[in-house]
Amino acid sequence: MCGQVLLLVPTGPDPDPDLDPDDLPPRPARVLWPDAGRRPPSPAVPAHLSRELAEAAACLGAGAYTMALVNVRRLLEGVCADQGITGVPLYRALRAMRRRGLIEGRLADWAEELRELGNEAAHMSGRPVGREDAEDAIALAEALLDHLYVFRSRYEEFVKRRGGTVSGRVSRDAAKTGMVIRETPAMKTLRKSRVPFTPHRYEHDPARVRSRKDLAAEMGVPRDSVLKAVIAHVDGRPVVAVAPASAEIDVAALARACGGSGARLAGMAEVSRLGWATASEVMTPLALPYLPVVVDVAVTAQPGVYVSSGRHGLELEVAPADLITITGAVTAPITVRGGT
């Protein structure tokens, strides 16, 4: 005996209830779990996530399609938690995964579809859940696990063997440190635009780094060279204001620069609801291509400036002229000194 645990379901006609159980002939059965036609998850996938996927597959085999989708949704929540994203609704956690570059493109769209399927299964939506829905959900969940826990690490090993310079997607200092810097949407924007930039790592400690000004001290660079990006509303329209971390945005000057009559700064709760950022210290103008940008004229006096990569622990150094060009920004005096 191999010791493998099997979950079986009998097939064929029911036996004669009058027969003694010891006299019953052998009855054919179908293996319900594990599914012989489905490959097991990679050992690289955390055990608790593999168990969740196995439960979803078992529900599929039993015809419990609704529960299969619920298990897939639980799997999504587990994946987000395993990546350190907790305490927020699942839709916001998936947005955070996208912003951090953990999932992107079609895979991010798939994850959102899985979330919606799970919601439909968990509530009386009136939409029937069929076998095809459950099969697709499990297949997409398998693809998500492969991407996060198998292919990403395999790709990073490949990059290390190649010296840390594959298709320009990782920093040049990777060859020196042996570390691979995972590309963020902001880095991708710079790379695709052929804009030179230098990534700078720093140790993110929330107790020490609470603002962009704190970040300048942490990195040991001039405060005026570290920029902050702030969402404002000018006559009700969202605008990105970019200025040195040491300065305060002058909303009246910002309104004049935009040709408006009035402006106000958006609160972080409002910004987060709109999906633009999770924290002020990692908001980056490079990942907001659909919003107009105004850069404070003082920025142009710096030889190089630091903008957020969109991820804690990593800043991007670029030339001010390149930042202005790539964001399509206008420049104007929009600050007063002494900002926070």
Side-chain angles (χ1 to χ4, degrees):
M1 300 295 290
C2 66
Q4 170 68 55
V5 176
L6 301 177
L7 179 60
L8 305 175
V9 58
T11 60
D14 292 333
D16 186 342
D18 295 329
L19 289 177
D20 188 300
D22 292 335
D23 297 331
L24 291 177
R27 188 178 180 189
R30 177 168 59 89
V31 177
L32 186 62
W33 184 88
D35 184 351
R38 188 176 299 279
R39 63 177 175 80
S42 165
V45 176
H48 66 288
L49 299 180
S50 293
R51 286 195 299 270
E52 206 67 52
L53 182 63
E55 286 190 22
C59 290
L60 171 64
Y65 307 133
T66 298
M67 286 307 302
L69 292 184
V70 171
N71 276 112
V72 168
R73 192 185 191 284
R74 283 167 51 91
L75 174 65
L76 275 183
E77 292 175 340
V79 166
C80 292
D82 190 59
Q83 299 298 322
I85 305 171
T86 59
V88 295
L90 183 56
Y91 79 93
R92 289 184 60 184
L94 292 177
R95 287 182 183 178
M97 293 267 286
R98 184 194 288 259
R99 282 192 296 270
R100 295 182 187 182
L102 296 172
I103 54 175
E104 58 184 24
R106 186 59 56 84
L107 191 62
D109 294 339
W110 280 358
E112 179 59 24
E113 289 295 329
L114 291 181
R115 182 190 70 82
E116 292 186 1
L117 277 173
N119 284 350
E120 291 176 2
H123 301 91
M124 289 296 294
S125 63
R127 180 184 181 277
V129 177
R131 181 179 182 86
E132 288 186 352
D133 287 336
E135 287 178 338
D136 288 344
I138 292 174
L140 295 180
E142 289 173 335
L144 180 65
L145 293 177
D146 282 343
H147 172 76
L148 288 172
Y149 297 102
V150 181
F151 299 136
R152 280 181 58 233
S153 60
R154 189 166 183 174
Y155 173 74
E156 290 179 357
E157 289 298 323
F158 170 69
V159 169
K160 289 179 183 179
R161 290 199 307 271
R162 292 286 301 272
T165 54
V166 176
S167 302
R169 293 178 183 267
V170 293
S171 69
R172 293 180 179 177
D173 68 352
K176 301 176 183 177
T177 64
M179 298 293 291
V180 174
I181 297 177
R182 190 172 67 252
E183 188 176 62
T184 67
M187 296 168 71
K188 180 180 291 185
T189 297
L190 293 170
R191 174 175 58 81
K192 288 188 173 181
S193 300
R194 300 185 181 277
V195 171
F197 68 96
T198 303
H200 294 271
R201 293 181 184 271
Y202 67 92
E203 186 68 29
H204 176 65
D205 182 350
R208 294 198 311 267
V209 181
R210 299 181 180 180
S211 69
R212 298 291 290 173
K213 282 203 303 184
D214 294 340
L215 177 59
E218 180 74 13
M219 294 180 62
V221 299
R223 287 198 307 177
D224 286 351
S225 67
V226 174
L227 305 186
K228 61 182 177 182
V230 179
I231 300 292
H233 291 277
V234 177
D235 293 346
R237 294 176 291 108
V239 173
V240 183
V242 179
S246 55
E248 181 179 351
I249 302 296
D250 182 338
V251 291
L254 178 62
R256 289 193 298 272
C258 296
S261 58
R264 66 175 180 85
L265 300 183
M268 281 310 302
E270 179 182 15
V271 171
S272 295
R273 282 198 302 271
L274 294 171
W276 286 329
T278 54
S280 59
E281 66 269 24
V282 294
M283 186 183 297
T284 174
L286 296 171
L288 301 169
Y290 43 84
L291 295 181
V293 179
V294 181
V295 173
D296 184 51
V297 69
V299 170
T300 61
Q302 299 296 321
V305 292
Y306 298 85
V307 295
S308 174
S309 68
R311 181 191 306 146
H312 289 301
L314 183 63
E315 287 288 299
L316 306 178
E317 183 182 4
V318 298
D322 288 335
L323 175 65
I324 292 168
T325 298
I326 199 171
T327 59
V330 297
T331 58
I334 59 170
T335 62
V336 293
R337 307 309 293 177
T340 57

